[in-house]
């Protein structure tokens, strides 16, 4: 099918590349001229594992092109709207980019168009889109408006596209549902090989869920809000474990064994970030308010999340006392591993507070340093995790990149000024780290004194008394 994707952000570009991989003829539009020039030159504007290969391969095969919104609207029989819906001051989603695309479609398009709303939007946006098109389009345009929320996670977006649990379409009539089924048929019938695993066998059977548009829009916000709620819940349990002398690792593991609860999204830490959870949570609260429902449960989820950074910085201060003038090594800046995305990253909030306290920060992140440097220049950005540790009085892990699992702790113990690790993601082994002479301080009651340097152990124990 001839498909156009409007917006080449994380969602749009991934969707465009993956739809082309399914065999569709895809035209992806980007309004930012600099970004468009980079895309046309074969450069990706952000890091996402496996996406570069996918985009280059499909461009070379002639299945993926980039250009203007106008050209996209003229060419595509299906138009996927993937523009940004950033939060406004009051937490509501700003829908002006969606409205502007709808206006251009109404002005230009003739014949039939399947208009697919993929950006995360408040319930009843599809209804508004229909009304807008009815008011402003010419009599030669016929259309269906479909809600097709995405459930891709940054860092594993390509994999997630080919291994979905469900493909959700919100429609008002069966013609649109059939067209959407046709678009996703290679995934649903597993006739395409997953480009990450290079096999069809690994693909699980996805459910094709058809609802009305309002329900589909609501499902997306409810899903993200529920996951955010799980994270804040486990973070509170972590606080309780710490205060009461329990071990959050063991508690979360056993709680997650109940299939009604599930083990995922029970990882405690410095909180959730990124461009989805924080904004979707706020938007969902605002949507509920608009419809007269008090969703203060989610306000609490947000409040708990905001406190995580404060609490973690307190933990650092508890170990180092005064931060002014102290050299601190920070590992990880992105809001999660396998991405260079730093939007609403809790790591950057921690970093800002360390700087505000007068610390000298040496930071390393495998992908996010270029973006972080533009936002926070007063940090020494280092070429690797070891350079960042030189002379540091503490190593502070903020994003759990796999690379940190393989750290050489013997070498690190010779590089740092004080062997102290504060693990903001509870991701490293307290046992392994302490065996190499480091004091380990995690979240939720997980800590260990150094095993091979008795003098440091004595000192650390003294400070803890
Ligand atoms: C999230 C959803 O997981 C996707 O299904 C959805 O499509 C996407 O938002 C979206 O709306 O576009 P994403 O934001 O990429 O995906 O990342 P997640 O893996 O969900 O992580 C979000 C945040 O929660 C990260 O900061 C992560 O570190 C944190 N997190 C996650 C925890 O603190 N603990 C956990 O147990 C899991």
């Amino acid at each position: 099918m001839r498909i156009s994707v409007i917006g080449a952000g994380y969602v749009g570009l991934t969707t465009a590349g993956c739809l082309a991989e399914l065999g569709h003829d895809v035209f992806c539009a980007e309004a930012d001229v600099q970004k468009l020039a980079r895309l046309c030159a074969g450069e990706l504007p952000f890091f996402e594992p496996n996406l570069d290969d996918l985009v280059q391969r499909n461009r070379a095969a002639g299945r993926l092109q980039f250009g203007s919104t106008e050209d996209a609207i003229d060419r595509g029989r299906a138009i996927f709207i993937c523009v940004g819906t950033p939060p406004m001051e009051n937490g509501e989603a700003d829908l002006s980019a969606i409205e502007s695309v709808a206006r251009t479609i109404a002005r230009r398009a003739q014949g039939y168009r399947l208009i697919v709303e993929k950006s995360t939007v408040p319930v009843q946006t599809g209804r508004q889109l229909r009304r807008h098109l009815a008011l402003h389009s010419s009599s030669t345009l016929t259309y269906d408006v479909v809600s097709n929320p995405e459930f891709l996670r940054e860092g594993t977006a390509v994999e997630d596209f080919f291994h979905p649990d469900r493909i959700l379409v919100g429609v008002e009539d069966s013609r649109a549902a059939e067209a959407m089924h046709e678009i996703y048929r290679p995934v649903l019938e597993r006739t395409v090989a997953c480009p990450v695993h290079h096999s069809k066998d690994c693909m699980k059977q996805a459910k094709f869920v058809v609802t009305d548009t309002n329900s589909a829009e609501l499902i997306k916000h409810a899903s993200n809000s529920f996951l955010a709620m799980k994270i804040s819940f486990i973070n509170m349990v972590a606080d309780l474990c710490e205060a009461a002398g329990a071990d959050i690792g063991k508690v979360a593991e056993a709680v997650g064994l109940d299939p009604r609860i599930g083990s995922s999204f029970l990882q405690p830490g410095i909180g959730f970030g990124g461009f989805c959870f924080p904004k979707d949570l706020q938007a969902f609260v605002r949507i509920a308010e608009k419809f007269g429902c008090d969703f203060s449960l989610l306000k609490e989820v947000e409040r708990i999340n905001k406190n995580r950074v404060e609490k973690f910085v307190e933990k650092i201060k508890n170990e180092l006392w005064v931060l002014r003038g102290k050299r601190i090594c920070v590992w990880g800046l992105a809001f999660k591993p396998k991405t260079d995305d730093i939007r609403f990253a809790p790591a950057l909030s921690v970093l800002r507070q360390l700087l505000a306290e007068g610390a000298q920060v040496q930071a390393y992140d495998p992908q996010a340093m270029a973006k972080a440097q533009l936002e926070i220049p007063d940090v020494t950005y280092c070429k690797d995790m070891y350079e960042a540790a030189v002379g540091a009085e503490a190593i502070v892990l903020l994003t759990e990149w796999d690379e940190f699992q393989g750290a050489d702790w013997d070498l690190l113990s010779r590089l740092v000024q004080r062997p102290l690790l504060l693990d903001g993601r509870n991701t490293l082994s307290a046992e392994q780290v302490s065996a190499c002479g480091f004091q380990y301080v995690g979240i939720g009651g997980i800590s260990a004194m150094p095993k091979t340097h008795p003098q440091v152990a004595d000192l650390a124990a003294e400070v803890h008394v």
Side-chain angles (χ1 to χ4, degrees), residues 50-213:
N50 304 303
L51 189 59
D52 203 355
D53 276 1
L54 188 90
V55 166
Q56 305 316 344
R57 195 172 54 249
N58 282 285
R59 280 188 78 202
R63 286 190 299 264
L64 178 60
Q65 292 177 63
F66 296 101
S68 70
T69 303
E70 286 73 15
D71 284 347
I73 288 167
D74 294 348
R75 290 173 56 114
R77 178 177 162 78
I79 300 174
F80 281 64
I81 303 178
C82 301
V83 294
T85 52
M88 297 192 291
E89 281 276 292
N90 65 0
E92 266 179 53
D94 180 352
L95 301 180
S96 44
I98 300 227
E99 203 218 28
S100 156
V101 172
R103 189 168 294 198
T104 316
I105 295 175
R107 214 179 47 232
R108 290 186 74 90
Q110 292 179 350
Y112 175 77
R113 293 292 187 284
L114 180 70
I115 299 169
V116 186
E117 164 199 284
K118 199 142 194 64
S119 311
T120 302
V121 290
V123 61
Q124 294 192 347
T125 300
R127 186 191 278 188
Q128 289 287 9
L129 263 173
R130 269 183 218 106
R131 195 178 325 166
H132 191 88
L133 290 164
L135 277 173
H136 300 289
S137 62
S138 70
S139 56
T140 52
L141 175 67
T142 55
Y143 53 86
D144 285 301
V145 172
V146 182
S147 164
N148 174 219
E150 54 88 16
F151 298 102
L152 312 177
R153 292 162 299 173
E154 285 178 33
T156 52
V158 174
E159 259 179 273
D160 290 348
F161 185 95
F162 289 89
H163 301 267
D165 308 304
R166 74 279 209 207
I167 291 174
L168 171 63
V169 297
V171 296
E172 296 309 311
D173 77 58
S174 58
R175 169 175 72 169
E178 279 157 24
M180 291 303 289
H181 191 279
E182 189 52 30
I183 289 174
Y184 286 108
R185 196 161 48 84
V187 175
L188 290 163
E189 293 179 1
R190 292 183 282 178
T191 52
V192 67
C194 162
V196 179
H197 303 102
H198 307 289
S199 160
K200 294 174 191 168
D201 304 336
C202 63
M203 290 165 75
K204 59 185 171 194
Q205 187 61 59
K207 275 214 164 102
F208 187 66
V209 181
V210 182
T211 66
D212 57 279
T213 17

Side-chain angles (χ1 to χ4, degrees), residues 340-355:
D340 61 354
D341 195 350
I342 52 165
R343 292 174 297 173
F344 298 102
L348 292 202
S349 305
V350 172
L351 198 64
R352 283 196 178 94
Q353 290 206 23
L354 295 179
L355 292 174

Side-chain angles (χ1 to χ4, degrees), residues 11 120 150-155 160 166 220 224 227 231 234-235 263-277 280 335-337 346 400 425:
V11 175
T120 302
E150 54 88 16
F151 298 102
L152 312 177
R153 292 162 299 173
E154 285 178 33
D160 290 348
R166 74 279 209 207
K220 168 69 191 201
N224 274 4
L227 292 171
I231 299 169
I234 206 65
N235 278 330
S263 59
S264 58
F265 281 73
L266 289 183
Q267 183 67 31
I270 55 170
F272 56 79
F275 208 56
C276 301
F277 285 0
D280 289 355
F335 85 97
K336 63 183 274 191
E400 69 278 29
R425 298 290 184 177

Side-chain angles (χ1 to χ4, degrees), residues 329 331 384-392 395 404 406-421 428 433 436 438:
C329 160
W331 282 355
D384 59 32
M385 60 177 150
Y386 301 106
E387 189 178 279
V390 173
I395 296 176
F404 302 137
D408 180 340
W409 292 99
D410 281 326
L411 171 61
L412 283 162
S413 69
R414 294 194 294 276
L415 295 177
V416 294
Q417 192 176 334
R418 174 179 164 191
L420 166 66
L421 170 74
L428 296 176
V433 168
C436 295
F438 272 79

Side-chain angles (χ1 to χ4, degrees), residues 309-318 350 353-354:
V309 166
E310 202 74 45
K311 273 188 113 22
F312 191 65
V313 172
E314 275 310 309
K315 220 182 244 284
I316 301 173
K317 282 162 78 176
N318 204 28
V350 172
Q353 290 206 23
L354 295 179

